[in-house]
Amino acid sequence: MLSQGTRDIVKSTAPVLAEHGTKITSVFYRNMFAAHPELLNIFNHANQAQGRQQAALANTVYAAAVHIDNLENILPAVVQIAHKHVSLGIKAEHYPIVGQHLLEAIKEVLGDAATDDILGAWAEAYSVIADAFISVEANMYKESREQENGWNFFKSFTVSRKVKESNTITSFYLKPADGSNVPEYKPGQFISIRVSIPGEKYMMIRQYSLSQAPKPDEFRISVKREADNDPNGVVSGFLHGQVQEGNTVEVSAPAGEFVLDATKTSPVAFISGGVGITPMMGMLETVSTTTPDRPTVFLHAARNEALAAFQVDVEKHAASMRNVKYKTFFSDKPDGYISRKVLEEFVDTTGEVYVCGPVPFMESIIRELRAMGMKEGQIHHEFFGPAMQIENG
């Protein structure tokens, strides 16, 4: 338990963190990687280059300061981030390294304003927060390790098939290289892919949604090829251009909590934009095979027909369902957006909605769904990249 004095000091620094948070976390990452370059084998270089990881960490630290009296309020965020940590292979021994460099960054940025009392309070608070992460992640590792066909960290998989789904999205079917089966996973979860790219000094890791319903012997991911000059495009370009059928990649066990509750039969809507369709495919396929009577809506937004993946698959799954409506919207055509009018036409506000896509897309959809009267617990969303807050007010 934190002393009242510690909590008071941490809360009093919240406005300072709001003002200087991203600068502090930028200094933190710079110094930590200089001292521990081996950690560059774990962290997403693209998120670093674009400042997204720095902003996400700043948001997390600020949230901890604001909620220091009731840290259980940030437990959902801890769990969400812990899923990503476990998928990347973050270990308990990494937390003291992070703590040391975070405190040093606070001191470097704030200078004399970072008194010994402030640094001491934050050291104590960080220890409590780190212990929460370590405990949650230890349980996740244990569950992953002990389930049938489970493992921790990374395991070699063979690319058994490579299928082009659109002009930019290609699916990779992955089977364990040792001939074993894969663990059961929940529709909507993701895995990490770790590759060694010629010319790159460090390993590269990216997280991709599993894009089909659970199968006993394989995973499927569906990867959008980003522009070559986009930092996000290093791994996707390598997978599209260099990884062929028969090659191996390293894969983490499934993780993530943006998942379908397959036991429900109440109305459900899946709304996606761009490559955000990938987790929805596993969810739709699961509904089509396990609860085909469930009232279901599937809405997808793409720039044009050439970029719209899985249209045939959506039709195939829908054909086995008794109460389904689906439509794809192309932004290069009139009325090519998922508007408030479209949502009112298709979505049953007594049910649940799953939303995935670019952040502006999700913000727009979630804002409209809320305006239609849907509550927090009815709306589930997932986005790609570090855990960042969706602004839906």
Side-chain angles (χ1 to χ4, degrees):
M1 293 290 292
L2 294 172
S3 69
Q4 187 61 50
T6 293
R7 293 201 298 269
D8 289 344
I9 291 172
V10 169
K11 279 190 294 185
S12 73
T13 61
V16 178
L17 292 173
E19 182 180 353
H20 299 287
T22 303
K23 186 174 182 182
I24 290 170
T25 54
S26 297
V27 169
F28 155 74
Y29 280 118
R30 182 196 71 201
N31 293 348
M32 184 176 71
F33 290 142
H36 295 275
E38 72 278 4
L39 294 179
L40 286 165
N41 289 307
I42 298 175
F43 284 81
N44 185 313
H45 301 198
N47 289 336
Q48 292 290 323
Q50 296 174 326
R52 295 192 297 177
Q53 193 74 57
Q54 294 88 329
L57 179 58
N59 288 342
T60 302
V61 174
Y62 174 73
V66 170
H67 296 289
I68 198 69
D69 280 331
N70 297 289
L71 283 174
E72 60 268 22
N73 289 343
I74 67 169
L75 188 60
V78 169
V79 172
Q80 181 190 20
I81 296 169
H83 274 284
K84 292 184 180 292
H85 282 179
V86 167
S87 183
L88 294 169
I90 299 292
K91 301 178 181 178
E93 58 260 35
H94 293 137
Y95 281 92
I97 296 172
V98 170
Q100 173 194 340
H101 289 283
L102 185 58
L103 290 172
E104 290 176 356
I106 291 173
K107 179 65 176 175
E108 181 175 335
V109 173
L110 300 185
D112 292 341
T115 64
D116 289 345
D117 284 346
I118 288 176
L119 292 175
W122 266 104
E124 190 180 342
Y126 175 81
S127 177
V128 169
I129 295 165
D131 285 347
F133 273 103
I134 291 168
S135 175
V136 169
E137 289 162 15
N139 287 333
M140 289 181 181
Y141 278 126
K142 182 175 186 291
E143 184 177 333
S144 175
R145 181 173 64 248
E146 293 182 353
Q147 69 176 320
E148 187 175 3
N149 300 308
W151 74 96
N152 283 162
F153 307 115
F154 287 89
K155 177 176 176 175
S156 289
F157 274 63
T158 301
V159 178
S160 62
R161 280 198 294 152
K162 185 176 176 182
V163 178
K164 185 175 181 180
E165 307 287 3
S166 75
N167 281 4
T168 57
I169 295 176
T170 293
S171 287
F172 296 80
Y173 292 79
L174 308 169
K175 292 179 178 286
D178 62 8
S180 64
N181 279 344
V182 300
E184 181 74 13
Y185 63 88
K186 298 173 183 175
Q189 289 193 300
F190 59 83
I191 56 175
S192 287
I193 303 293
R194 184 169 72 178
V195 294
S196 180
I197 299 177
E200 297 287 345
K201 185 175 181 180
Y202 299 102
M203 304 286 284
M204 296 275 187
I205 302 177
R206 294 292 186 274
Q207 293 168 328
Y208 298 105
S209 297
L210 292 158
S211 61
Q212 65 179 8
K215 304 288 188 292
D217 61 340
E218 70 178 11
F219 293 144
R220 184 180 79 172
I221 59 170
S222 302
V223 180
K224 177 188 175 186
R225 179 163 191 166
E226 305 290 351
D228 291 338
N229 61 352
D230 184 337
N232 286 311
V234 176
V235 174
S236 69
F238 177 72
L239 291 174
H240 276 249
Q242 303 300 319
V243 174
Q244 306 300 333
E245 293 178 357
N247 291 162
T248 59
V249 294
E250 291 184 287
V251 176
S252 71
E257 56 175 0
F258 175 68
V259 296
L260 174 74
D261 184 343
T263 65
K264 290 187 175 180
T265 56
S266 53
V268 64
F270 304 110
I271 305 174
S272 59
V275 75
I277 194 174
T278 53
M280 306 303 198
M281 293 306 300
M283 294 185 186
L284 179 66
E285 183 180 359
T286 299
V287 172
S288 74
T289 55
T290 61
T291 52
D293 292 330
R294 185 175 188 180
T296 303
V297 167
F298 194 94
L299 304 178
H300 180 61
R303 288 207 301 273
N304 54 56
E305 292 190 42
L307 299 179
F310 303 115
Q311 299 301 288
V312 172
D313 286 2
V314 170
E315 291 179 5
K316 180 184 72 174
H317 299 323
S320 64
M321 302 171 71
R322 298 173 185 83
N323 190 354
V324 62
K325 295 186 285 187
Y326 61 95
K327 186 172 181 179
T328 299
F329 297 80
F330 301 113
S331 58
D332 66 344
K333 294 184 177 179
D335 300 320
Y337 293 90
I338 302 177
S339 62
R340 170 72 171 273
K341 181 181 177 182
V342 169
L343 294 174
E344 289 176 340
E345 177 185 351
F346 282 91
V347 175
D348 185 333
T349 56
T350 68
E352 294 183 76
V353 181
Y354 292 80
V355 187
C356 187
V359 171
F361 170 85
M362 290 196 297
E363 288 177 343
S364 172
I365 297 296
I366 292 170
R367 186 168 54 246
E368 297 296 356
L369 292 172
R370 285 175 174 274
M372 289 163 57
M374 296 196 75
K375 302 292 188 274
E376 184 82 30
Q378 295 176 275
I379 305 171
H380 313 275
H381 60 79
E382 175 74 309
F383 51 92
F384 303 103
M388 296 174 69
Q389 183 175 0
I390 294 292
E391 299 295 339
N392 46 37

